[in-house]
Amino acid sequence: MPKMNMVQALNDALRVALGRDERVVVMGEDVGRVGGVFRVTAGLIEEFGEERVVDTPLNEGGIVGAAIGMALYGMTPIVEIQFGDYLWPAYDQVVNELAKYRYRSGGEYSAGMVIRTPVGGGIRGGHYHSQHPEAPFIHVPGLKVVCPATPHDAKGLLLASVRDPDPVIFLEPKRLYRAAKGEVPDGHYTVPLESARVVRSGPDVTVIAYGAMLYEALDAAAKAAEEGVECTVIDLRTLWPVDIETIAASVRATGRLVVVHEAPRTCGFGAELVALVCERVFYHLEAPPVRVTGFDTPFPYSLEMEYLPLSHRILPAVLEAARS
Amino acid sequence: MTQTERQESRNPAPLRDVVRVLGDDGTIVDPTLDPGLSGPELVALYRDMSRTRILDERLLTLQRQGRIGFHVGSLGEEATIIGATYALRPQDWIFPCYRESGAAVTRGLPLQAFVDNVFGNANDLVKGRQMPDHHTGRAVRFASTSSPVGTQIPHAVGVAWAAKLRRDDVVTLAFFGDGATSTNDFHAAANLAGVFRLPVILLCRNNGWAISTPVERQTASPTFAEKGNAYGVPGVRVDGNDALAVIAVVRRAVERARSGAGATLIEALTYRMGAHTSSDDPSRYRTESEIRPWVERDPLERVRRLLEARRLISRADDDAYRAEVDRSFREAVAVAECTPPPGLHTLHEDVYATPPWHLVEQREALLRGSRPAAPPRTV
Ligand SMILES: Cc1ncc(C[n+]2csc(CCOP(=O)(O)OP(=O)(O)O)c2C)c(N)n1
Ligand SMILES: [Mg+2]
């Protein structure tokens, strides 16, 4: 199996998707000639032509709105929003149109499409190239939200998202674009949506993470093991609908929960995960659940490594959960 | 601006550079542009326009009687709405705002489905999920109506784009108001339509008002049509109370789209003679005297005068048709009113293609749980 980084795996997935279904189009700012600012779409315009790999004007609401129309006509647009931070100009089209089209038409219409966008900090991107905006999209009924952590999952989840009948917000942790490497199968395969992956097993504490923070959680788990605390680390992969069974089963076994995410803490996805665990397996809990998250501030520039919930902040939370 | 100046700017526009075919008195003023409808076609056009108005009046009455929750009407704008619909072919798509339900019926949405929608009952195509008059009709290529202003315009662009990519002979038409030209979505859509030369028609119903906001508050441009220039989309102004002129310009836009030349922005000059919706009281912001000149220009009367001059209908025919619409409407209402509301099990459907676990759980809890009591009595 070839070894790839996440950019190559995503590029491969797009090539496979475009190659196997002529209804698929890739569209966004700079996705054609230059191959995307992170090169995820590199080479696609040469292979599939400019009708199917479209350099659009700079207007995110317009891109998503037009993609909705294409999807209504039976095509499968894969939209790239250049940074997750620029999903906001399209928020109205995503929330009021895309997410509700099936429901408000009584199932007469649907608009299956994928919106891919790089998210997260750690690349010195400041306020507007670092946000990790899963929670507001998870909150919107009708959307699915995906966030891979490995090249293998990035390709398999993207291909699953393309085939999914519902709109998918596909968050790509940009810090992993070139840093995450691994074996990626050739050709078409899917990683089912709504399936989390248990990356490490241990009886003492359940750590939930996703995207770039998975590696921080794994690092903290390795250090905790040196101190005699063995963690189960779960990579959610699909954030919504979340694989609640895998989470509940693990917390039932460990009785202790640490949730990690980069996005701000208040009303973040961690709050929902903790609530779900409390509702389901409260009597199995041996310690208060803990959130390790970004701060409730705009994403900072110089102090970004202080903002991010890296291993050094996860480890004490794990030890505290294990020992309380 | 003084009150009179403001009023003048909404008076019937000086008709320079405005396409007109049918005069206020029902005579043909410009035979070169006459779309040349046959006698039966003219009668059908008139009937579709008059049915739109009758349904409008009846729905407003139902709302006033408290039998439906809301109504948004198109009094005075029937020539724009029905004329544009007439100029399209069956394969073409309509992206409505909220004021074009007459177009859905004209396209073939069954009257019962139309009425079930305003009652939001179990047979409503959209399962009682939207306010009255927010129709969807996939079978008649009528997109889903959204309340947010302007959002449908990029969708029309997207369908046109997809059809062009698939080499299908399909044109799309987006209806929107003068107020909508201030939204981001209008500009985004016009720009995309221009850049990619898409087979789309952007039809702005300039009816003078966006709720209480007059057109001078939407734009400092002398016309809405010229906004197309900035996007490489030719703009044309048409007398929006002249059904034949609307048909002529929309047909021309369809031809232009089919030929690969791209989009057209049409500004139809008309006037919202009724309130914005059943929730609005226009006496707070405009005078009756402003409406008067538009009564003279009634789009329905103009077609009727033409038909009478050509002896295509008699007063008796007209009365019989109106009675027939009334009767079928009353029957549809009788059926709709005794149709139960959508089943509780539908509440969680269509959020996703297949309900995920959390919706299945929430549905089970709803079905198991207690029902709301009658609203608490107020003193
Ligand atoms: C995005 C958005 N903002 C505000 C409203 C409230 N609103 C409903 S209709 C309307 C005026 C629209 O005027 P126009 O586009 O001219 O259409 P008309 O009602 O005259 O047909 C407003 C402000 C809305 N529905 N959507
Ligand atoms: Mg208006």
Side-chain angles (χ1 to χ4, degrees):
Chain A
M1 249 188 283
K3 226 172 160 172
M4 294 186 185
N5 64 29
M6 195 180 279
V7 166
Q8 294 164 326
L10 289 164
N11 182 263
D12 194 34
L14 292 170
R15 183 170 284 107
V16 169
L18 283 160
R20 68 198 294 272
D21 185 349
E22 60 163 29
R23 291 169 307 180
V24 171
V25 291
V26 167
M27 58 199 284
E29 295 156 16
D30 309 299
V31 298
R33 210 124 283 134
V34 76
V37 296
F38 289 100
R39 304 291 177 272
V40 173
T41 55
L44 299 180
I45 196 168
E46 287 79 4
E47 195 169 336
F48 297 99
E50 57 180 33
E51 285 199 342
R52 298 189 60 209
V53 181
V54 187
D55 276 321
T56 64
L58 200 168
N59 188 306
E60 290 77 12
I63 296 167
V64 172
I68 292 171
M70 290 187 175
L72 295 177
Y73 200 74
M75 303 193 63
T76 307
I78 306 176
V79 166
E80 176 176 306
I81 299 293
Q82 206 159 73
F83 285 88
D85 314 72
Y86 308 130
L87 263 169
W88 305 124
Y91 199 52
D92 180 47
Q93 282 288 343
V94 173
V95 174
N96 273 340
E97 301 299 320
L98 180 61
K100 295 179 178 51
Y101 221 102
R102 182 191 295 281
Y103 194 77
R104 85 170 189 227
S105 68
E108 291 256 301
Y109 290 104
S110 62
M113 59 186 269
V114 182
I115 299 180
R116 298 179 33 246
T117 193
V119 295
I123 58 142
R124 295 189 69 74
H127 291 329
Y128 301 115
H129 305 86
S130 305
Q131 296 171 72
H132 207 297
E134 65 275 22
F137 294 99
I138 293 170
H139 188 62
V140 178
L143 301 178
K144 295 183 176 175
V145 183
V146 171
C147 183
T150 67
H152 171 277
D153 288 351
K155 180 176 171 187
L157 288 167
L158 184 53
L159 287 168
S161 302
V162 169
R163 255 189 9 192
D164 199 86
D166 294 306
V168 177
I169 308 293
F170 194 91
L171 306 176
E172 300 172 358
K174 64 175 92 71
R175 203 151 80 104
L176 301 183
Y177 266 158
R178 290 172 196 282
K181 297 191 184 77
E183 297 201 328
V184 174
D186 274 324
H188 189 266
Y189 68 93
T190 58
V191 170
L193 301 187
E194 299 163 49
S195 69
R197 183 169 73 102
V198 176
V199 185
R200 178 187 176 114
S201 290
D204 299 327
V205 179
T206 300
V207 183
I208 301 179
Y210 47 91
M213 291 305 105
L214 174 67
Y215 298 94
E216 300 297 326
L218 288 170
D219 186 63
K223 291 188 173 127
E226 288 166 20
E227 308 209 18
V229 174
E230 290 295 341
C231 297
T232 291
V233 179
I234 298 176
D235 172 10
L236 290 183
R237 306 199 290 192
T238 296
L239 308 189
W240 202 257
V242 74
D243 180 354
I244 191 64
E245 288 311 324
T246 298
I247 296 172
S250 173
V251 177
R252 234 179 259 125
T254 63
R256 295 163 205 278
L257 174 66
V258 174
V259 181
V260 183
H261 62 64
E262 306 188 22
R265 181 182 194 80
T266 302
C267 287
F269 188 36
E272 184 59 41
L273 292 170
V274 169
L276 284 169
V277 163
C278 288
E279 283 168 355
R280 273 153 211 268
V281 292
F282 185 78
Y283 294 108
H284 294 268
L285 286 173
E286 307 278 351
V290 187
R291 289 177 286 171
V292 188
T293 68
F295 298 113
D296 287 335
T297 67
F299 195 97
Y301 180 67
S302 299
L303 296 179
E304 67 176 341
M305 291 305 168
E306 297 294 328
Y307 174 95
L308 291 171
L310 303 182
S311 169
H312 68 282
R313 281 170 55 201
I314 302 170
L315 178 62
V318 166
L319 296 178
E320 184 196 315
R323 286 163 190 168
S324 65
Chain B
M1 226 182 239
T2 66
Q3 172 79 7
T4 13
E5 273 172 334
R6 261 205 290 116
Q7 237 155 272
E8 265 166 16
S9 68
R10 279 185 309 280
N11 274 345
L15 295 170
R16 263 173 292 114
D17 304 327
V18 175
V19 176
R20 285 189 98 194
V21 172
L22 190 58
D24 291 350
D25 59 359
T27 58
I28 299 289
V29 293
D30 188 345
T32 62
L33 293 170
D34 186 351
L37 269 59
S38 69
E41 283 171 337
L42 284 169
V43 172
L45 170 70
Y46 173 71
R47 289 188 166 169
D48 282 320
M49 289 171 66
S50 79
R51 183 181 50 224
T52 301
R53 183 166 298 181
I54 298 167
L55 293 176
D56 215 354
E57 289 163 358
R58 298 298 175 271
L59 290 171
L60 192 57
T61 306
L62 288 182
Q63 194 279 334
R64 292 289 180 247
Q65 293 168 339
R67 290 157 76 188
I68 61 173
F70 171 83
H71 177 59
V72 46
S74 57
L75 183 65
E77 300 184 52
E78 296 91 346
T80 298
I81 295 167
I82 307 304
T85 305
Y86 253 72
L88 299 178
R89 305 155 305 158
Q91 72 265 40
D92 299 331
W93 289 47
I94 290 180
F95 285 78
C97 86
Y98 39 70
R99 211 179 285 290
E100 291 93 13
S101 26
V105 182
T106 299
R107 280 226 139 186
L109 185 76
L111 188 63
Q112 189 64 54
F114 178 87
V115 172
D116 286 331
N117 170 275
V118 302
F119 282 92
N121 64 26
N123 293 333
D124 175 13
L125 276 171
V126 306
K127 307 187 187 175
R129 290 175 183 154
Q130 293 234 64
M131 289 172 81
D133 303 330
H134 288 56
H135 294 279
T136 293
R138 189 182 179 90
V140 296
R141 291 190 166 73
F142 191 83
S144 158
T145 307
S146 185
S147 301
V149 166
T151 52
Q152 76 282 12
I153 314 172
H155 304 169
V157 162
V159 166
W161 197 343
K164 179 175 177 172
L165 290 176
R166 313 222 68 189
R167 313 284 185 268
D168 291 341
D169 178 17
V170 168
V171 173
T172 66
L173 181 143
F175 282 111
F176 52 91
D178 41 283
T181 62
S182 299
T183 65
N184 295 341
D185 281 331
F186 165 75
H187 295 276
N191 192 47
L192 287 168
V195 169
F196 293 100
R197 281 180 174 252
L198 299 176
V200 58
I201 301 166
L202 307 176
L203 197 156
C204 173
R205 283 181 296 94
N206 175 359
N207 63 5
W209 293 95
I211 311 186
S212 71
T213 309
V215 292
E216 314 85 74
R217 269 297 161 95
Q218 298 299 345
T219 187
S221 299
T223 73
F224 288 102
E226 69 197 79
K227 288 178 187 279
N229 296 341
Y231 301 111
V233 173
V236 43
R237 302 182 94 201
V238 62
D239 179 348
N241 282 23
D242 174 345
L244 298 184
V246 172
I247 292 174
V249 298
V250 176
R251 275 192 184 164
R252 215 156 48 183
V254 169
E255 279 318 308
R256 182 180 147 79
R258 295 186 61 195
S259 75
T264 306
L265 171 62
I266 297 171
E267 175 184 356
L269 292 149
T270 180
Y271 186 79
R272 197 196 78 209
M273 294 182 72
H276 171 64
T277 67
S278 55
S279 317
D280 175 42
D281 171 14
S283 72
R284 300 172 68 90
Y285 54 83
R286 73 179 186 194
T287 58
E288 279 297 309
S289 62
E290 179 179 321
I291 304 175
R292 222 164 294 133
W294 291 93
V295 175
E296 304 300 308
R297 319 193 60 230
D298 186 317
L300 216 54
E301 278 304 296
R302 282 156 88 171
V303 182
R304 199 181 56 75
R305 285 180 192 132
L306 175 76
L307 293 180
E308 280 184 352
R310 294 194 184 171
R311 302 195 190 293
L312 288 166
I313 56 160
S314 64
R315 191 50 89 176
D317 289 338
D318 198 20
D319 290 346
Y321 177 72
R322 299 174 64 85
E324 167 57 23
V325 172
D326 240 344
R327 190 189 51 76
S328 46
F329 179 74
R330 271 200 308 276
E331 280 173 16
V333 168
V335 172
E337 257 182 329
C338 59
T339 303
L344 276 187
H345 65 278
T346 65
L347 186 63
H348 296 90
E349 286 171 2
D350 304 318
V351 180
Y352 299 94
T354 317
W357 60 268
H358 66 293
L359 290 176
V360 171
E361 281 184 11
Q362 290 172 24
R363 171 163 60 199
E364 281 163 8
L366 175 73
L367 294 176
R368 266 199 322 271
S370 53
R371 299 276 74 77
R377 229 177 254 270
T378 47
V379 214

